[in-house]
Amino acid sequence: MLRITDLHANAGDKPILKGLSLNVNGGEVHAIMGPNGSGKSTLAHVLAGRPGYTVTGGEVLYKSSPLFDLAPEVRAREGVFLAYQYPVELPGVSNLYFLRSALNAIRRHRGEDDMDAIDFLAVAKEKAKLVEMDEALVKRNVNEGFSGGEKKRNEIFQMAVLDPSLAILDETDSGLDIDALRDVAAGVNKLRSEDRAMIIVTHYQRLLEYIVPDFVHVLIDGKIALSGGKELALELESKGYEWLEKEPAQAR
Amino acid sequence: MTGPSAPFSEIASAVPSWGGPSWLSDARKSAVARFVSAGLPTTRIEAWRTTPLPDLGKMAYAPGSASTANQAGALVKPFMASDVVTLVFVDGFHSETLSSSVATWPKGVRLAPMSRQLVVSPEDLQPWFADMGATDGALHDLNTAAFRDGAWVVVDDGVQVQMEVRVVLVSTSTDQPVAQHVRSLVQLGRGASLRMMVAVIGAREARGFTNSHTTITMAERSRLDLVRVHESPPGVPHFDALSATLGAHSVLGDTVLQTGPSWTRSEIDIVLNGERATADLGGVFIARGTQVSDIHTLLSHQAPGVISRQNYRGLAADEARGVFHGQIKVESEARGTDATQNNKNMLLSKRASVHSTPALEILTDDVKCKHGSATGQIDQAQLFYLRSRGIDSVDAIRILTRAFASEIVSRLSDESTRRLIEAQIAPSLEQLGVAA
């Protein structure tokens, strides 16, 4: 699904990713952990194509084709989805209109017909139910006046509607209390499937108690310093990141 | 005649031939005299510094003549509905064929074209012209001198008019460019209420100039909800003046949608001289190409406890230029008044510009006054958010500009009116931002 080889990238002028390699197959859930400033969010943004980041080296193949040849909207249509750490408010744009526009852009890309408003409403209601999002929020303007938890839930709702092949969840746990975290994680778990890969970017192990990953990678100074199974997250929880930062990076 | 008033010289000679009551002829003559000596406004006048008039001098202006209504019919159609009363003016003159039939006019409302009212009972109109001063400016004088028609709307005391009244001014494509000077008068009695729309539209090929002046008088506890569409074709620059006097506890709501593509300037002059009167104003201009869109407001707080709210927005693309000038004057007797003014503008190209100027003049301490102004580009974080969901830049910009304007459109609480306005401004919004 996704093959990252020796990726180097800058945020602005500053080198952040310094030779990151990672392999993600369909159906797998990978957690990327690491201290602040290690490049976790940069990785998420670079994959989504956010302006302000420059790829300076390496290669990313998505579904066997170079990802960086695609404009951000084309990546989305090809099934790449970023759940934002800080979802953006769109005053005056209804969630329904926004999501139907997005879904229809994806459908057109696949050569399918547009979905009309009535059919879409049915889909939106079904997906809202699946991720336990309040129907009132579905009809409101995108994230406008939403609480932190509601915004994160809206990201997962969007993911449910757009049905991506590769979902990148950037610090989805940040700013959530334990109940909200549990609800959002439950939504994500319902979206786990054989044809969908997920990359979960998180600072804390907490989220991984609810979304249990297949693989855990530790990102230190722009490179994967250590990879392991879900038990690695627990080890990091007790030992912190410092012991990894002091030692030279180990091969996976 | 030579000099700056040359394009309108026909008017001076035509005025005496129009007849009418002597007080009106006198008012017209003095207005002509003032106009001739002042000439058309130039950028040397402070209020016109940012918005030069387009070059009107190159065209020979006819004072307007009754024209056929065929061309106008299609343009007016969107504004017709079974539950509204329409009063249509084509090239400056009332069109009986296009207007709603008298039989459908609501009770308690006296409604007439000015051209008829001037013949039938001119004395009703005299009070409106009693205190015409020289201070309003040359285009106001020109309007007084040259208006031939307009809407006359009087709502009797206590009458709540259920039907919306729509006044539509249409420019058609004619051999000669037509200067239309339209004067409308609206009066609401005590406790009366009315919903009204004024639309200024035209055929794409029309040429000329529209000078529309609406004067509103609101008695105590009356309510007027006004929607105005300024959508003149490129060859018809449009100067619009709205002046309203608000009695005690009256409420005026005004929403103006200025889509051009013509040069358009809208002056809004509100006098709140009745205790606890409220003016709730909003508007948006949607400017593209080389369009000039100007909104000038003057809120004059003259009585205790009066409230004014202003929420204006502007979208400027290509080489368009927008102007928002919002003046709030709080007189010393206007204790405990509350004034807010908010202006937000979005620039969609590097060559587009908006001048936003708040002007506050406050002569009492007992006042709440807030104003804010922000002009910026499209929000890059919002744009990327949309793109990252699969929506391309052009559509994303379209969604964001429509949302920006919708904050003003959402002021309209009547659903059928709002739908009409949304449909009416949609093509202008569609044409924005493609080059960004």
Side-chain angles (χ1 to χ4, degrees):
Chain A
M1 176 84 65
L2 185 74
R3 180 181 289 274
I4 305 175
T5 312
D6 195 29
L7 179 62
H8 289 69
N10 293 358
D13 295 334
K14 196 177 170 202
I16 303 286
L17 299 181
K18 302 168 183 171
L20 185 147
S21 297
L22 180 67
N23 224 338
V24 178
N25 298 312
E28 294 176 355
V29 175
H30 290 244
I32 309 271
M33 301 185 69
N36 290 330
S38 57
K40 303 189 298 291
S41 284
T42 297
L43 173 63
H45 289 143
V46 163
L47 293 177
R50 188 177 192 123
Y53 296 87
T54 325
V55 175
T56 53
E59 183 187 52
V60 175
L61 295 177
Y62 170 68
K63 294 180 177 171
S64 309
S65 300
L67 180 70
F68 297 141
D69 290 355
L70 308 178
E73 57 269 30
V74 181
R75 294 182 202 185
R77 292 172 201 165
E78 287 281 344
V80 177
F81 180 91
L82 172 64
Y84 284 67
Q85 181 179 4
Y86 303 109
V88 177
E89 296 192 12
L90 302 177
V93 183
S94 87
N95 241 339
L96 281 174
Y97 181 76
F98 162 61
L99 266 184
R100 187 159 68 91
S101 303
L103 183 62
N104 282 336
I106 294 167
R107 289 172 67 94
R108 259 173 261 145
H109 184 73
R110 294 188 194 138
E112 296 167 9
D113 289 338
D114 277 15
M115 193 180 278
D116 67 28
I118 295 163
D119 288 346
F120 180 74
L121 185 63
V123 170
K125 280 183 172 175
E126 179 205 322
K127 299 297 184 183
K129 209 167 180 180
L130 179 71
V131 301
E132 292 178 36
M133 170 137 140
D134 188 349
E135 230 183 271
L137 294 179
V138 172
K139 291 178 180 168
R140 276 185 28 199
N141 288 340
V142 181
N143 295 326
E144 191 183 22
F146 283 26
S147 71
E150 287 168 344
K151 284 181 182 172
K152 294 297 173 76
R153 207 179 293 228
N154 198 19
E155 294 292 292
I156 305 308
F157 166 62
Q158 292 176 30
M159 176 170 141
V161 171
L162 301 180
D163 194 23
S165 317
L166 172 67
I168 305 154
L169 280 62
D170 186 13
E171 307 262 4
T172 292
D173 49 336
S174 72
L176 295 188
D177 63 30
I178 193 69
D179 291 335
L181 177 71
R182 198 178 290 138
D183 291 347
V184 167
V188 174
N189 283 329
K190 285 182 189 158
L191 298 174
R192 287 178 80 152
S193 86
E194 278 309 302
D195 348 302
R196 179 160 24 240
M198 292 192 192
I199 297 176
I200 314 240
V201 171
T202 180
H203 185 83
Y204 299 105
Q205 180 267 343
R206 194 176 67 152
L207 178 66
L208 305 180
E209 285 176 23
Y210 300 98
I211 308 172
V212 180
D214 302 306
F215 302 94
V216 174
H217 310 276
V218 186
L219 194 56
I220 304 280
D221 193 26
K223 276 189 263 193
I224 304 275
L226 188 64
S227 297
K230 62 189 175 203
E231 61 291 339
L232 177 57
L234 290 169
E235 192 181 345
L236 291 165
E237 180 75 356
S238 57
K239 292 168 78 176
Y241 293 114
E242 280 175 20
W243 62 285
L244 284 164
E245 291 174 285
K246 282 171 192 156
E247 288 173 26
Q250 297 175 13
R252 354 197 253 137
Chain B
M1 195 185 300
T2 57
S5 60
F8 300 101
S9 58
E10 298 94 336
I11 290 158
S13 48
V15 165
S17 68
W18 293 342
S22 62
W23 57 263
L24 182 59
S25 300
D26 291 347
R28 289 196 197 275
K29 277 180 211 154
S30 21
V32 167
R34 284 195 300 270
F35 176 70
V36 167
S37 78
L40 286 168
T42 68
T43 50
R44 285 195 296 275
I45 297 168
E46 181 57 25
W48 286 86
R49 198 170 48 81
T50 47
T51 321
L53 261 180
D55 188 358
L56 303 173
K58 280 181 187 159
M59 298 185 221
Y61 277 78
S65 60
S67 110
T68 55
N70 302 346
Q71 222 189 105
L75 297 163
V76 174
K77 203 158 178 251
F79 296 93
M80 316 256 245
S82 57
D83 54 349
V84 303
V85 181
T86 45
L87 210 54
V88 178
F89 299 85
V90 178
D91 297 324
F93 286 90
H94 177 238
S95 162
E96 198 163 331
T97 24
L98 292 175
S99 300
S100 305
S101 76
V102 178
T104 67
W105 293 6
K107 288 193 174 62
V109 184
R110 284 174 283 155
L111 200 62
M114 289 284 276
S115 51
R116 185 178 308 154
Q117 199 61 17
L118 281 168
V119 174
V120 176
S121 69
E123 62 282 0
D124 286 352
L125 305 175
Q126 189 170 5
W128 297 90
F129 294 88
D131 55 352
M132 288 291 305
T135 53
D136 285 342
L139 289 168
H140 300 255
D141 286 331
L142 188 59
N143 188 283
T144 302
F147 84 89
R148 305 296 303 280
D149 219 332
W152 181 75
V153 183
V154 175
V155 185
D156 293 336
D157 287 354
V159 174
Q160 321 279 310
V161 184
Q162 300 305 314
M163 288 179 111
E164 183 178 321
V165 173
R166 289 183 183 161
V167 175
V168 187
L169 311 184
V170 196
S171 303
T172 64
S173 172
T174 49
D175 298 339
Q176 273 279 94
V178 173
Q180 350 174 359
H181 306 276
V182 178
R183 175 70 59 97
S184 295
L185 303 175
V186 180
Q187 183 179 320
L188 271 75
R190 297 170 62 162
S193 75
L194 178 69
R195 287 184 299 127
M196 190 167 161
M197 181 185 292
V198 181
V200 181
I201 57 174
R204 176 160 282 282
E205 304 76 22
R207 289 171 305 142
F209 175 59
T210 305
N211 179 2
S212 168
H213 195 150
T214 304
T215 305
I216 297 168
T217 314
M218 297 176 68
E220 60 183 76
R221 294 184 197 278
S222 61
R223 180 182 181 102
L224 175 62
D225 289 295
L226 193 58
V227 186
R228 296 179 299 141
V229 181
H230 292 168
E231 200 184 22
S232 284
V236 188
H238 171 204
F239 175 77
D240 197 282
L242 175 80
S243 50
T245 309
L246 274 60
H249 299 273
S250 64
V251 179
L252 169 67
D254 175 47
T255 303
V256 59
L257 296 309
Q258 197 169 289
T259 60
S262 76
W263 178 99
T264 306
R265 173 171 169 129
S266 179
E267 293 186 357
I268 298 162
D269 185 349
I270 312 288
V271 176
L272 298 125
N273 64 359
E275 213 167 290
R276 308 194 80 78
T278 301
D280 181 6
L281 313 179
V284 60
F285 58 75
I286 300 165
R288 62 210 187 269
T290 55
Q291 188 178 333
V292 174
S293 282
D294 179 329
I295 296 177
H296 259 68
T297 65
L298 169 56
L299 277 289
S300 185
H301 290 227
Q302 300 183 359
V306 297
I307 297 169
S308 72
R309 307 250 174 273
Q310 297 181 68
N311 184 9
Y312 288 96
R313 293 191 164 201
L315 283 157
D318 309 325
E319 292 164 55
R321 232 159 50 73
V323 175
F324 173 75
H325 187 278
Q327 192 176 357
I328 299 171
K329 267 171 98 168
V330 181
E331 305 292 349
S332 55
E333 59 268 42
R335 296 174 305 277
T337 72
D338 186 346
T340 60
Q341 182 189 88
N342 197 335
N343 176 229
K344 277 190 196 162
N345 303 295
M346 194 188 274
L347 300 174
L348 294 163
S349 96
K350 288 196 171 75
R351 287 165 301 157
S353 67
V354 176
H355 295 265
S356 173
T357 319
L360 311 176
E361 191 181 325
I362 297 172
L363 304 175
T364 173
D365 292 335
D366 182 13
V367 59
K368 270 193 280 183
C369 189
K370 271 199 301 200
H371 69 96
S373 170
T375 298
Q377 273 93 35
I378 213 145
D379 186 295
Q380 290 302 313
Q382 292 181 339
L383 184 60
F384 182 69
Y385 193 68
L386 289 159
R387 292 182 69 195
S388 75
R389 294 295 180 252
I391 299 166
D392 66 41
S393 298
V394 171
D395 285 341
I397 289 167
R398 221 168 254 163
I399 288 172
L400 292 174
T401 50
R402 184 157 54 183
F404 187 79
S406 80
E407 302 262 312
I408 298 300
V409 178
S410 68
R411 290 169 49 85
L412 307 174
S413 51
D414 183 83
E415 200 183 330
S416 62
T417 305
R418 192 175 64 243
R419 290 228 171 118
L420 168 63
I421 294 296
E422 276 168 353
Q424 202 66 24
I425 69 170
S428 308
L429 285 167
E430 284 288 304
Q431 290 167 28
L432 286 180
V434 181

